[in-house]
Amino acid sequence: MLEKKEHNYEKAVLVGVVTQHQDEEKLQEYMDELEFLAYTAGGTVDRRFTQKLTQPDSKTFIGSGKAQEIKEYVKENEIGTVIFDDELSPSQLKNLEREIEVKILDRTNLILDIFAQRAQTSYARTQVELAQYQYLLPRLTRMWTHLERQKGGIGMRGPGETEIETDRRIIRDRISLLKDKLKTIDKQMATQRNNRGKVVRAALVGYTNVGKSTLMNALSKSEVFAENKLFATLDTTVRKVVIGNLPFLLTDTVGFIRKLPTQLVESFKSTLDEVREADLLIHVVDISHESFEDHIESVNQTLMEINAHQKPMIMVFNKIDDFSYEKKDEDDLTPSTKKNISLDEWKNTWMAKSKYPTVFISALTKENFPEMKKMIYDEVMKIHISRFPYNDFLFEYFDNDEE
């Protein structure tokens, strides 16, 4: 069901709107991210369409003139997919497909499709399948029946391509079955977490593609899959790490993203439980990304939603080897922007005033690793002393091979 397309990138166009809640600059950031999502899913973006609206049209999300413009463009350039940056209602999807006459996807469907490609284990596949069915249920009336010859490709993996004519009762039964299956696995995973003994648990959290898995590999000397694409990691990985004589468990979790589909938050409950039940959060940030402050905000928002925002935390600003800025000439009197701020200036601004221990590293080149390890050691030790009998770990868990 969850097949991966390796070659022949699918041509797509992107559509976004400027509204009173989303200015042009913010839209461009979202569209850049949407393009990366499309690339990760196996698509290549041919063009972007944007429109200024007081609020999205209830019938077609965009105005009729813009829909006609897109229709003409996709026909002339043989584009197979139109991707909208926001989640569309079932009626908007149906109307747009009738109007433009090609496959229409929204951000939610695209993210679900990437998760379908990336799911490796039975557990991850079950979580993704549940999210897909929950997305599909209210949209059963329109699932691309006029696109029979174009089946496959982005957005057509998973239930969408096999259940077009399936009635709602069968879908609901399947959802119920998957939920029961996940409950059973969740109980098993909760038991596993409880059986990990008197060891402090740390979890890597952060936006997608910030280098969490690369950092996991460097700290645990293991080989966790890492790739420069969004959502490279879906399955939770737990490794034992020893810094000095102090062991702790380190968890690599799925990356967060803006506008994360609610279906995924629900179906990935157990993955998020690893974050909820961690003693320490290591928040990894890609300092080289121009929107890193927004990424921090998105992650903090998600942590708040799952009630994990008050935990001890370390801020790790990664990819300093990739960081660049535009130095202004001394006689340049134009106002400075974020692009003109150097790494030292960032360090001395709000980051210096952060209530959390903060370190700047490169997971790739291991620059400033000793400083980061010392910081993690100090925080883990604080938790260990306050929570567990002090001397247990020194003998029970010490392993020279992992130092």
Side-chain angles (χ1 to χ4, degrees):
M1 180 187 281
L2 303 166
E3 88 188 38
K4 185 174 178 180
K5 189 173 180 178
E6 295 291 344
H7 303 293
N8 301 324
Y9 276 87
E10 196 175 318
K11 283 171 73 176
V13 296
L14 309 182
V15 184
V17 297
V18 176
T19 65
Q20 52 195 350
H21 305 296
Q22 182 171 275
D23 61 22
E24 204 154 336
E25 188 181 350
K26 188 63 68 181
L27 175 64
Q28 287 313 315
E29 282 180 25
Y30 286 150
M31 295 290 265
D32 288 344
E33 188 169 85
L34 192 66
E35 183 162 343
F36 201 4
L37 283 166
Y39 162 69
T40 302
T44 177
V45 173
D46 193 81
R47 185 177 162 185
R48 299 177 180 189
F49 290 89
T50 60
Q51 186 176 27
K52 286 184 181 177
L53 294 170
T54 310
Q55 59 184 39
D57 187 279
S58 60
K59 290 182 180 176
T60 54
F61 196 77
I62 49 174
S64 55
K66 183 61 70 175
Q68 186 61 35
E69 183 189 341
I70 294 168
K71 179 181 179 178
E72 289 168 6
Y73 184 86
V74 298
K75 195 172 182 181
E76 285 169 18
N77 295 276
E78 298 180 345
I79 308 291
T81 310
V82 177
I83 305 171
F84 283 73
D85 186 46
D86 291 282
E87 186 166 328
L88 302 170
S89 69
S91 62
Q92 285 171 334
L93 275 162
K94 186 177 181 180
N95 293 334
L96 283 164
E97 284 189 341
R98 190 184 291 132
E99 179 76 23
I100 301 176
E101 296 178 345
V102 294
K103 183 169 58 181
I104 306 291
L105 303 180
D106 58 19
R107 177 182 270 252
T108 299
N109 199 186
L110 185 60
I111 292 172
L112 288 172
D113 188 73
I114 294 167
F115 272 57
Q117 291 183 61
R118 298 273 162 171
Q120 297 297 318
T121 65
S122 167
Y123 183 48
R125 284 196 291 269
T126 304
Q127 293 179 106
V128 174
E129 192 180 346
L130 173 60
Q132 286 181 311
Y133 277 123
Q134 287 171 329
Y135 175 83
L136 174 64
L137 185 59
R139 295 166 173 83
L140 275 177
T141 52
R142 52 116 225 146
M143 286 297 294
W144 306 303
T145 48
H146 59 287
L147 299 172
E148 291 290 331
R149 62 188 177 81
Q150 292 181 24
K151 273 190 205 168
I154 302 173
M156 301 300 275
R157 280 167 276 256
E161 64 189 32
T162 56
E163 303 292 354
I164 290 172
E165 299 300 329
T166 305
D167 68 19
R168 292 172 192 276
R169 180 182 55 78
I170 294 174
I171 294 288
R172 285 198 185 100
D173 287 348
R174 184 68 182 154
I175 286 173
S176 181
L177 188 75
L178 290 167
K179 281 184 174 177
D180 287 343
K181 188 177 176 183
L182 284 179
K183 272 180 196 169
T184 305
I185 302 174
D186 286 346
K187 279 180 188 171
Q188 292 168 355
M189 293 185 79
T191 305
Q192 283 174 12
R193 281 195 291 271
N194 291 332
N195 290 339
R196 286 176 192 162
K198 294 173 180 174
V199 186
V200 173
R201 289 184 282 187
L204 292 166
V205 297
Y207 210 70
T208 181
N209 202 43
V210 295
K212 293 189 301 299
S213 297
T214 306
L215 186 58
M216 176 80 156
N217 289 337
L219 283 170
S220 65
K221 302 180 178 69
S222 62
E223 287 301 316
V224 177
F225 181 67
E227 186 184 10
N228 186 30
K229 282 191 174 181
L230 301 178
F231 305 115
T233 304
L234 282 195
D235 289 297
T236 301
T237 310
V238 183
R239 293 280 185 271
K240 180 178 159 191
V241 177
V242 181
I243 298 178
N245 65 341
L246 183 61
F248 62 95
L249 295 177
L250 184 63
T251 304
D252 187 16
T253 58
V254 63
F256 301 157
I257 195 168
R258 290 175 285 203
K259 304 180 185 178
L260 187 69
T262 51
Q263 295 94 334
L264 279 175
V265 174
E266 186 183 337
S267 65
F268 273 73
K269 175 188 173 294
S270 193
T271 304
L272 295 169
D273 277 346
E274 289 285 351
V275 176
R276 252 190 297 263
E277 295 183 23
D279 301 304
L280 172 68
L281 301 182
I282 301 172
H283 185 167
V284 186
V285 181
D286 177 2
I287 188 73
S288 69
H289 197 291
E290 59 182 17
S291 302
F292 75 86
E293 288 178 293
D294 285 341
H295 293 177
I296 293 171
E297 197 179 315
S298 295
V299 172
N300 288 339
Q301 185 62 40
T302 307
L303 290 175
M304 200 172 287
E305 286 169 15
I306 64 171
N307 202 24
H309 60 294
Q310 292 179 317
K311 293 181 179 293
M313 188 186 289
I314 294 172
M315 296 295 295
V316 177
F317 289 92
N318 188 26
K319 302 193 185 182
I320 57 173
D321 54 309
D322 236 5
F323 180 85
S324 62
Y325 74 104
E326 296 170 12
K327 192 173 181 180
K328 284 180 66 179
D329 294 328
E330 287 181 14
D331 57 351
D332 185 351
L333 300 177
T334 56
S336 292
T337 67
K338 287 181 183 177
K339 291 178 181 176
N340 306 125
I341 303 176
S342 70
L343 195 56
D344 285 335
E345 286 170 328
W346 275 122
K347 288 179 183 179
N348 294 324
T349 53
W350 64 265
M351 292 172 192
K353 302 182 187 78
S354 171
K355 64 178 179 178
Y356 302 114
T358 302
V359 64
F360 293 77
I361 66 147
S362 165
L364 212 55
T365 66
K366 299 196 175 177
E367 190 176 345
N368 293 341
F369 254 49
E371 187 186 344
M372 178 190 65
K373 283 184 170 182
K374 175 73 168 65
M375 199 171 278
I376 295 172
Y377 179 92
D378 289 344
E379 291 301 310
V380 172
M381 179 61 91
K382 272 186 217 168
I383 296 164
H384 194 102
I385 290 171
S386 69
R387 197 160 297 178
F388 307 121
Y390 182 49
N391 284 324
D392 279 9
F393 70 90
L394 287 172
F395 307 101
E396 194 175 339
Y397 298 105
F398 182 51
D399 183 349
N400 281 311
D401 291 335
E402 290 194 63
E403 194 171 347

